[in-house]
Amino acid sequence: MNKPKSYRIWMLSLVPGGRFGRWWTALGVLLLGGVVYGLAAWRAAETPEYFGRLPWSITLFFVAAVAYIVPMFHYITERTHQALDALGPHLRDPGRLPALHDAIDQRRLGWILRTTLISVALWLLQSRLLAGSWAYMWERVQTGFVMISFDFGPLFVWLTMNVAMSALFQNALVFRQLVPHLDVDILEPDSYLPIGSMAVTSTLVVLGAMALLAVMWLGGPVDWWTTLPALVIFTPLGVLLLLLPVWPLHRLLKVQRQAEIDEAQQALRDARRADDGALAGQTVALTLRRELARLPVWPFDVGAVLRLSSYAVIVPLTWAGAALIEMLVNVLLE
């Protein structure tokens, strides 16, 4: 029976090869969005009924979000492949490695259609809630290019975010299911640290999107308190992305550490019961037991912890900075 065909995730194909491919993609999205919304603003300036209906901060968020999510998803996917290669020597069945790499950046047609339809449904629901009625939504679209560009902006944000999050969750599950097939040794960090590093990197899409929400506050009419529900939504998603691949590994490392400590404790007992006292053996066993107790049972080294801390701090700093800028602008205008 033929295996269903898989396709490369389309967002990855938007990034050209080369050292600066992700930067070129971000720049291209920003330029394209600038042209589209710049033209919309120019048309709105000629039509009085559009005044105040196309806040520049919201349109800037649309463009900035897509310009961030696409290259960042590409970066995370690349780092995920590197983590798999690092775990390769510890796989009990190295022959699985090519299939695991394919599972990271390829999806079946059903997945592609499903994520697209979900994105469209979420966009329609959001648009309906903002417009108040389906009839008014249709009227807005019929008014022409200005409102079409404004109404369809969120669709691209929903589409890129939904594809990125769905793919990252599946990749987290791939690593979660990989743990039982690894020769994990708590005394050999190379056998498990790549999973922790990958999990930390995967949170960048969520944390970056949360930070970019502050862009909408800069336009004035958007109340920054209205973006707080996103914090309630995105925070659990980021925590889940972090813990999905890490939790089973944490439990395994915890069991291994306790087993090593028990072995060192037994060696200490044997040394103490020896006829000659075995002072040297007692010292070695005591030292070993102390060092084993200090071993971390989470697959994060110092670098991963520092990176995660810096990522998490960026969000409140960005929000506070945007709120401060808004207050300063209001003071100057008054």
Side-chain angles (χ1 to χ4, degrees):
M1 186 175 181
N2 293 332
K3 183 179 178 180
K5 186 176 181 180
S6 296
Y7 302 86
R8 193 165 187 248
I9 298 173
W10 60 268
M11 282 206 304
L12 298 175
S13 301
L14 297 179
V15 179
R19 183 178 177 184
F20 300 104
R22 288 187 284 267
W23 290 101
W24 284 117
T25 297
L27 180 61
V29 172
L30 290 173
L31 290 176
L32 179 61
V35 169
V36 171
Y37 285 108
L39 181 60
W42 174 68
R43 291 284 300 275
E46 298 180 341
T47 312
E49 61 264 27
Y50 287 142
F51 290 168
R53 300 175 66 185
L54 194 67
W56 67 267
S57 59
I58 295 180
T59 56
L60 178 59
F61 168 75
F62 297 158
V63 178
V66 177
Y68 173 80
I69 292 171
V70 174
M72 183 53 66
F73 176 68
H74 184 277
Y75 169 74
I76 294 173
T77 303
E78 185 178 273
R79 292 292 299 266
T80 304
H81 282 297
Q82 293 172 3
L84 269 179
D85 288 332
L87 292 171
H90 305 283
L91 267 175
R92 296 195 185 109
D93 181 12
R96 298 185 57 194
L97 201 57
L100 290 171
H101 277 295
D102 290 341
I104 295 302
D105 58 14
Q106 294 185 15
R107 295 294 185 273
R108 295 177 183 176
L109 182 60
W111 181 91
I112 297 172
L113 294 176
R114 184 167 60 252
T115 53
T116 302
L117 289 175
I118 292 174
S119 301
V120 172
L122 291 171
W123 165 68
L124 287 174
L125 177 61
Q126 179 195 38
S127 300
R128 168 64 176 76
L129 292 174
L130 292 175
S133 68
W134 297 108
Y136 184 57
M137 282 179 57
W138 179 242
E139 289 179 9
R140 283 166 60 98
V141 172
Q142 289 181 309
T143 57
F145 170 73
V146 174
M147 296 312 298
I148 288 178
S149 63
F150 180 68
D151 287 341
F152 276 80
L155 174 60
F156 297 103
V157 179
W158 278 115
L159 188 59
T160 53
M161 190 66 177
N162 190 36
V163 169
M165 293 303 298
S166 299
L168 290 176
F169 272 114
Q170 286 199 358
N171 292 346
L173 290 174
V174 168
F175 276 79
R176 182 185 180 89
Q177 296 164 359
L178 184 64
V179 172
H181 303 280
L182 289 172
D183 289 323
V184 176
D185 187 343
I186 194 170
L187 298 177
E188 294 186 20
D190 290 343
S191 66
Y192 58 84
L193 283 181
I195 294 181
S197 178
M198 181 278 304
V200 169
T201 304
S202 296
T203 63
L204 278 172
V205 165
V206 175
L207 295 175
M210 290 172 63
L212 284 173
L213 288 171
V215 172
M216 292 191 289
W217 308 342
L218 301 177
V222 179
D223 186 353
W224 70 275
W225 286 101
T226 62
T227 58
L228 284 182
L231 182 63
V232 178
I233 297 173
F234 285 141
T235 300
L237 292 179
V239 173
L240 194 57
L241 268 180
L242 183 67
L243 292 183
L244 265 178
V246 163
W247 186 254
L249 190 55
H250 161 67
R251 291 186 298 177
L252 177 59
L253 292 174
K254 191 175 180 179
V255 170
Q256 285 193 3
R257 185 180 70 173
Q258 189 58 50
E260 294 287 345
I261 291 175
D262 292 342
E263 187 175 337
Q265 183 65 35
Q266 185 59 47
L268 177 60
R269 292 194 190 100
D270 294 341
R272 293 178 63 188
R273 292 170 183 168
D275 293 338
D276 58 356
L279 183 59
Q282 292 184 46
T283 302
V284 171
L286 280 169
T287 302
L288 180 59
R289 186 182 66 179
R290 182 174 62 250
E291 293 302 318
L292 288 170
R294 294 176 179 175
L295 287 176
V297 291
W298 291 96
F300 304 119
D301 57 9
V302 175
V305 172
L306 290 176
R307 283 195 294 121
L308 181 60
S309 300
S310 64
Y311 298 162
V313 168
I314 287 173
V315 177
L317 286 180
T318 305
W319 286 30
L324 179 61
I325 291 173
E326 183 183 5
M327 286 189 294
L328 291 175
V329 170
N330 290 337
V331 169
L332 292 175
L333 292 177
E334 292 176 358

